[in-house]
Amino acid sequence: MISQFFKFSLILVALQLGPLSISADPIPPFMGDWRGSWVDTVENYHQRSPQLTAQVIGLGGDSYEVIFRGEYQRRATPIFQAVGYFRDGAIRIEERDFWCVITEDTIRGKGLYKSKEPVAFELVKFTPASRTVGRPAPDGAVVLFDGSDLEQWMHEKDGAQIPGTWQIKDGYLEVWPKKEHKAAGGDLKTRELFGSCEIHLEFWLPYEPDNRDQNRANSGIFINNVYEVQILDSYGLVGDWTECGALYKVSPPKVNRSLPPGQWQTFDIVYEAPQYDAAGNLVRNAVMTVHHNGELIHNQQELFEVTYNTQNIRLAPPPDGPGRIILQDHGHPIRFRNIWVRPME
């Protein structure tokens, strides 16, 4: 049951947004995941399925989208979905069959869902974490970044290699946007070339509530120069083929496993390079398996084309031989840490 009024409110909020901003805002305490249950009911449904979860997503200013589901599964059909506004220390949502008040500690309210009368519910904040944060590099791996230096990385300028210029702070690496720092920044590329390999990296996204879609904490990791696993603030979205974890415009993630901005997330990637026969004929496309925050989102996914946004480049033949791993500068202060690659050839 989704209020048409609140759908309209969400559209109106989006239309009133200003131009793209890449400054990171403080993350509000309401933002993130909540879980709890229906309470004080004798209805059969609520006795069998008492669980209730919610996501609170900042839209900029005092506006928040709130999505309630019966389970912690991002593709599950919402039970309620609405836009609320922060007033007098809380977010409040009210409509005919549903209301709630969200404070820093609890979400309390009532909703009419598979019951004759509104049923009370209560949720508390929780912080799901990636199951692979801190995963150590195995034997045979090349440590690309351990928090200390950029010896494994470089930029390319006018065909020449120059030292990496991104910032190192407190053990993490932060994008130094070229659009702001003309003499520095740009995509960061490995000095070494890699073919089939296993990759682990950890990334942290800033909170950019005034941005939308591809302008919201955008980056990516490119493997063998041309295959991108998208990095984006896709928290609360359905997970399409341009959102976080997607093999960009080739395959959407099986599930949107995105955490809210401000939390460390992980990709664990197994890349199998394309294969050519002795005559130079392509006999197998590249294949990729990806876990996002420890959950499988691509399983032996064939990369039937490269992942560039430009269509004529997408139709180019896949690479024959090893290539670089690239961290994308898309103009946003994304952070990275604990990056390693284990060659498989």
Side-chain angles (χ1 to χ4, degrees), residues 1-3 6-7 10 30-36 38 51-59 63-85 91-93 95 98-100 102 107 113 121-126 216 233-239 243 256 258 260:
M1 184 187 308
I2 302 173
S3 166
F6 285 114
K7 282 184 178 179
L10 179 57
F30 316 101
M31 180 91 170
D33 295 282
W34 300 73
R35 62 185 174 191
W38 301 93
Q51 183 180 6
L52 190 64
T53 68
Q55 292 176 287
V56 179
I57 306 154
L59 299 177
S63 304
Y64 296 84
E65 183 179 16
V66 187
I67 305 172
F68 290 88
R69 295 182 174 92
E71 57 182 309
Y72 185 62
Q73 166 56 263
R74 308 301 170 82
R75 292 196 188 277
T77 301
I79 296 172
F80 301 107
Q81 183 171 356
V83 172
Y85 301 91
I91 300 171
R92 290 175 169 80
I93 297 174
E95 59 173 299
F98 175 76
W99 66 267
C100 73
I102 304 173
I107 299 178
Y113 180 64
F121 57 81
E122 183 171 327
L123 297 86
V124 295
K125 188 85 176 289
F126 80 106
R216 195 159 181 166
D233 178 8
S234 300
Y235 178 68
L237 304 180
V238 296
E243 293 174 5
N256 179 2
S258 295

Side-chain angles (χ1 to χ4, degrees), residues 5-314:
F5 169 78
F6 285 114
K7 282 184 178 179
F8 174 76
S9 298
L10 179 57
I11 294 170
L12 183 60
V13 168
L15 291 174
Q16 291 175 341
L17 292 174
L20 167 65
S21 168
I22 61 170
S23 62
D25 288 8
I27 299 172
F30 316 101
M31 180 91 170
D33 295 282
W34 300 73
R35 62 185 174 191
S37 63
W38 301 93
V39 296
D40 300 331
T41 177
V42 294
E43 293 288 338
N44 288 336
Y45 172 79
H46 301 91
Q47 288 178 338
R48 293 195 310 270
S49 302
Q51 183 180 6
L52 190 64
T53 68
Q55 292 176 287
V56 179
I57 306 154
L59 299 177
D62 294 332
S63 304
Y64 296 84
E65 183 179 16
V66 187
I67 305 172
F68 290 88
R69 295 182 174 92
E71 57 182 309
Y72 185 62
Q73 166 56 263
R74 308 301 170 82
R75 292 196 188 277
T77 301
I79 296 172
F80 301 107
Q81 183 171 356
V83 172
Y85 301 91
F86 180 76
R87 299 286 188 274
D88 300 322
I91 300 171
R92 290 175 169 80
I93 297 174
E94 295 184 22
E95 59 173 299
R96 187 175 57 123
D97 297 323
F98 175 76
W99 66 267
C100 73
V101 176
I102 304 173
T103 66
E104 293 186 17
D105 302 314
T106 58
I107 299 178
R108 292 190 177 95
K110 287 188 175 183
L112 186 64
Y113 180 64
K114 296 189 178 182
S115 56
K116 296 179 180 178
E117 300 294 334
V119 176
F121 57 81
E122 183 171 327
L123 297 86
V124 295
K125 188 85 176 289
F126 80 106
T127 304
S130 168
R131 295 194 293 270
T132 65
V133 163
R135 184 182 173 196
D139 292 342
V142 177
V143 176
L144 297 177
F145 182 71
D146 65 1
S148 59
D149 60 57
L150 288 174
E151 290 300 315
Q152 296 287 342
W153 300 89
M154 56 88 179
H155 300 298
E156 286 186 317
K157 183 177 182 181
D158 299 326
Q161 296 185 9
I162 62 174
T165 56
W166 289 9
Q167 298 183 93
I168 297 176
K169 304 177 181 178
D170 301 324
Y172 64 81
L173 176 65
E174 184 172 300
V175 177
W176 193 243
K178 191 173 185 64
K179 62 174 19 176
E180 297 179 8
H181 310 278
K182 301 302 183 185
D187 294 346
L188 204 61
K189 304 180 180 184
T190 57
R191 295 183 181 275
E192 189 172 344
L193 305 180
F194 299 95
S196 296
C197 59
E198 178 186 9
I199 301 169
H200 173 86
L201 82 157
E202 302 178 10
F203 61 95
W204 181 101
L205 304 180
Y207 178 52
E208 299 176 348
D210 294 327
N211 296 338
R212 293 292 180 271
D213 302 322
Q214 297 297 295
N215 289 325
R216 195 159 181 166
N218 191 324
S219 182
I221 175 171
F222 285 80
I223 301 165
N224 207 344
N225 300 310
V226 296
Y227 299 115
E228 181 186 11
V229 183
Q230 173 77 310
I231 292 174
L232 194 74
D233 178 8
S234 300
Y235 178 68
L237 304 180
V238 296
D240 71 16
W241 68 345
T242 62
E243 293 174 5
C244 194
L247 305 178
Y248 189 72
K249 289 194 174 181
V250 169
S251 177
K254 294 181 180 300
V255 62
N256 179 2
R257 188 60 180 87
S258 295
L259 299 177
Q263 297 184 30
W264 283 101
Q265 306 191 51
T266 59
F267 281 152
D268 292 276
I269 302 165
V270 175
Y271 166 74
E272 301 172 51
Q275 295 180 0
Y276 289 81
D277 63 19
N281 300 308
L282 179 68
V283 295
R284 194 195 73 170
N285 283 318
V287 173
M288 202 178 293
T289 296
V290 183
H291 288 76
H292 183 192
N293 292 326
E295 185 167 343
L296 182 67
I297 60 171
H298 299 284
N299 186 17
Q300 287 284 296
Q301 175 63 49
E302 179 183 5
L303 291 156
F304 50 85
E305 59 185 8
V306 300
T307 62
Y308 274 84
N309 195 40
T310 306
Q311 186 63 21
N312 63 335
I313 299 179
R314 292 175 67 85

